[in-house]
Amino acid sequence: MKKILLLILFFYLTSTSAFSQDRNRYLLDIYEYDKELQELVERVVDSLGGKERNLNAQSFRASGEMTFQTGEKVGFDLYYLKKEWFRLDHKTENKSELFVRHGREGQIKKRDTQGVESIQNLKGLKLNEEEQFNIYENNLFDYENKKLDIYYEGEIKVGELEAYIIRLSRFNYGEEMYYISKENYRPFMKQVYFLDGKYQSVINYTIDEYVKMNGVFLPKIIRLKKDGQTKMIEFLSYDLSADFDEEFFLN
């Protein structure tokens, strides 16, 4: 009986020790995963000029040229103020279009070749989609402040480019995927997934070129694709010192 009790105790201690080792190994794997992910994000942020410089740009103005899939080209002016205050004007000699977001509401205002004006009010998912199809935003700078979840999704080769993949989730509209160049640690592609019940949509961004302004690297040429629609945005100028208030987006 004594030998049996000793054997039972031995097997209990052995199994407990094995469980403890597995748990410690699991915790170590989580620690190493988090450490490597944070190091990757830091390299990305540093490659774009650093967190402080990028987050200090609370408002800016940009202008450039937009090319649609039809080949039509229009000039544009873009205005950005913090989060959810955004305005994009583009027009030709005969027609114009304005997209504006102020908080949780937005509008698309159009004037056609006959001078007829129309207004479409936007909220919720439609507003988020319209904004994302007009502006590229890198949320890796402040994902912690926005209380987003971050994941490392592995590596991939896109054409000749080798990339790391980072995913952000817990957006009110879905999640984002960033494809990070192994060569310079800058995102060269981003995908935004809109997930709302059975409704699913994706916007794909390809960043062809960056430009350095005031110590930060900003997109120079972006190609966008959504539901068969494509367009290219080329930024010709940035003004990171532009200053305007919220009233500008309400008129």
Side-chain angles (χ1 to χ4, degrees):
M1 177 64 72
K2 185 176 180 181
K3 289 183 178 180
I4 293 174
L5 289 174
L6 288 173
L7 284 172
I8 292 173
L9 180 62
F10 172 76
F11 284 119
Y12 172 76
L13 292 174
T14 302
S15 62
T16 302
S17 176
F19 173 79
S20 178
Q21 290 177 11
D22 288 342
R23 181 176 179 275
N24 290 338
R25 190 178 298 112
Y26 173 71
L27 292 175
L28 181 61
D29 288 344
I30 293 178
Y31 172 78
E32 291 296 332
Y33 170 86
D34 288 340
K35 181 181 177 182
E36 291 179 9
L37 178 55
Q38 289 303 318
E39 289 177 352
L40 175 58
V41 173
E42 287 174 7
R43 286 189 175 187
V44 174
V45 170
D46 289 344
S47 75
L48 295 170
K51 180 184 291 188
E52 185 176 352
R53 280 198 185 105
N54 278 275
L55 293 182
N56 280 343
Q58 292 291 314
S59 64
F60 68 84
R61 175 181 177 178
S63 62
E65 188 174 69
M66 193 179 301
T67 305
F68 297 97
Q69 62 192 57
T70 60
E72 179 185 19
K73 296 185 178 183
V74 299
F76 73 85
D77 290 295
L78 182 153
Y79 308 87
Y80 179 87
L81 176 63
K82 300 179 183 178
K83 178 64 178 171
E84 296 182 341
W85 293 86
F86 170 75
R87 173 172 173 166
L88 178 69
D89 293 280
H90 58 84
K91 57 186 177 181
T92 63
E93 293 182 0
N94 300 317
K95 59 182 180 179
S96 65
E97 183 171 330
L98 162 68
F99 167 63
V100 60
R101 175 168 189 156
H102 39 84
R104 296 184 178 181
E105 298 182 355
Q107 291 89 31
I108 297 176
K109 300 179 181 180
K110 294 182 179 181
R111 180 176 56 82
D112 63 19
T113 55
Q114 305 300 319
V116 178
E117 294 186 346
S118 64
I119 298 177
Q120 178 185 0
N121 293 313
L122 300 171
K123 288 185 178 182
L125 186 62
K126 291 298 182 183
L127 177 58
N128 287 326
E129 278 190 286
E130 187 64 30
E131 178 182 356
Q132 296 290 335
F133 195 50
N134 285 288
I135 186 171
Y136 166 84
E137 185 174 20
N138 188 335
N139 289 295
L140 293 174
F141 294 116
D142 58 350
Y143 73 92
E144 293 174 308
N145 293 337
K146 294 177 179 177
K147 298 180 179 180
L148 302 173
D149 291 334
I150 187 168
Y151 304 92
Y152 174 64
E153 295 293 332
E155 303 177 16
I156 194 172
K157 190 170 184 179
V158 182
E160 297 299 318
L161 295 174
E162 295 184 349
Y164 303 104
I165 307 174
I166 297 175
R167 176 166 62 95
L168 293 179
S169 67
R170 292 190 67 185
F171 292 96
N172 60 1
Y173 50 79
E175 58 187 35
E176 299 181 343
M177 302 277 279
Y178 292 82
Y179 295 78
I180 311 300
S181 168
K182 284 188 176 184
E183 183 178 351
N184 56 27
Y185 288 94
R186 295 182 195 132
F188 66 88
M189 192 164 72
K190 173 186 171 183
Q191 293 169 329
V192 177
Y193 292 87
F194 297 90
L195 309 170
D196 184 16
K198 293 183 179 180
Y199 180 82
Q200 295 187 13
S201 177
V202 60
I203 298 177
N204 188 83
Y205 309 74
T206 302
I207 306 170
D208 291 347
E209 187 179 342
Y210 282 89
V211 61
K212 189 175 183 180
M213 296 287 297
N214 296 352
V216 302
F217 286 86
L218 300 166
K220 168 72 173 172
I221 299 176
I222 304 177
R223 300 179 190 273
L224 300 95
K225 183 177 182 180
K226 174 184 177 292
D227 297 334
Q229 303 177 62
T230 61
K231 63 183 177 184
M232 183 184 77
I233 299 176
E234 181 176 4
F235 293 91
L236 301 177
S237 69
Y238 280 99
D239 181 3
L240 301 184
S241 63
D243 187 22
F244 27 76
D245 57 30
E246 295 176 355
E247 289 296 322
F248 172 75
F249 298 87
L250 299 173
N251 299 316

